[in-house]
Every structure is written in C-alpha cells, then in structure tokens.
Amino acid sequence: MADLQHVLPVPQIKESHDLIIVGQDLPSAEMTGVVAPYGAMSVGDKVTLQWQGYDDTGAEDVPFAATLTLAVEAIGMPLRWTIPRSKVIGIPDGHAQISYRIEYASGAGSSMSAVQTLRIDAAYGPRLAAPRIVGHSGDTLDPSAFP
C-alpha cells in the first residue's frame, strides 16, 4: 500500500484555545498533545507527534518529536504526549506547526495527518459568552425539570 498523505485529522493541544497558546498561562511545565483514536489502530503501530516552532521572524526552533508504540491498552483510546513548556516559551510571538505520522505495524505503510498551526501569543482572543437557557437561572440544570 502506498503512503497516504493528509488523511488523518489534526492533533490538538489541550492547553490551547482558538489556535492560540499563551506560554505564561500554561498550568505546568508541559503541555498535552492529543490525537483521536483512528480506525485501523493496532498493537505495535508507531505514532509520532511532531512539533516545529518558529520565532517571530520565522526562524525555526529546534524541532520536537515523540513516538508512542501502541500497546493493547491504547487501542480505541485518545493518544497523549507530553510537550515541554520550553517549546512555547522559546518562541514568544511566534507559531508552531504540529502533526503526527502513523507507521502501521502490519507493514501497510504510513499515514500523515494534516498540519495544525498554533499562534504563540501573550493573550487569548475573546471567549464565547456562557450559554443561557430562557427561563432558567443558576449553575445547575436538572433535565427532568424540562420534559
């Protein structure tokens, strides 16, 4: 089977919002990269998350890559990687491109995700207002009260 290009969805960074990461707002020394489960997941697949940062002039930062070899417990579950906070702190006002590649244990080739671009910024943009339900007040909603 030939290599398939860009057939997988983009990876996500848990600590991002609206494709922006604010380095000083990160709650710990690391971020979490997440990839949704994929249909052909098999024990022994190698999934590599790739992060390439760029500073505000467009110059490349040192790339980051980490590979997971899937065990039986990973099948059907989201995949998670730890990315050092330093990958963001080192490129203020820059951006990062993240993607992942799957090398199938079956020998059926590999697949590459689409690339996600994230801005590294000093602040997030405006957030959506909290949802409101007409005729309801408070923080808790009891579904049985709304047949």
Side-chain angles (χ1 to χ4, degrees):
M1 173 186 248
D3 280 1
L4 301 174
Q5 292 295 313
H6 309 296
V7 297
L8 301 169
V10 297
Q12 303 293 318
I13 299 297
K14 182 179 164 191
E15 294 79 8
S16 70
H17 172 72
D18 199 22
L19 299 177
I20 298 172
I21 299 174
V22 177
Q24 64 265 24
D25 286 355
L26 292 174
S28 69
E30 50 201 32
M31 300 173 289
T32 305
V34 180
V35 166
Y38 54 95
M41 286 179 108
S42 296
V43 172
D45 285 357
K46 293 183 185 213
V47 186
T48 302
L49 181 75
Q50 300 165 330
W51 168 289
Q52 178 59 65
Y54 300 87
D55 69 16
D56 60 342
T57 69
E60 289 185 359
D61 189 28
V62 176
F64 172 83
T67 301
L68 296 175
T69 300
L70 302 190
V72 68
E73 303 84 31
I75 306 305
M77 303 300 293
L79 303 176
R80 300 179 195 285
W81 289 263
T82 301
I83 303 165
R85 181 178 186 220
S86 62
K87 300 313 294 175
V88 170
I89 300 300
I91 54 170
D93 300 321
H95 68 281
Q97 293 182 327
I98 59 172
S99 61
Y100 62 99
R101 180 178 185 87
I102 301 170
E103 301 280 336
Y104 298 103
S106 67
S110 63
S111 296
M112 184 74 185
S113 75
V115 175
Q116 177 81 287
T117 300
L118 299 161
R119 281 192 359 237
I120 312 304
D121 213 332
Y124 295 111
R127 294 190 183 236
L128 296 174
R132 296 182 315 160
I133 299 173
V134 176
H136 177 72
S137 62
D139 293 339
T140 305
L141 179 64
D142 179 2
S144 66
F146 297 89

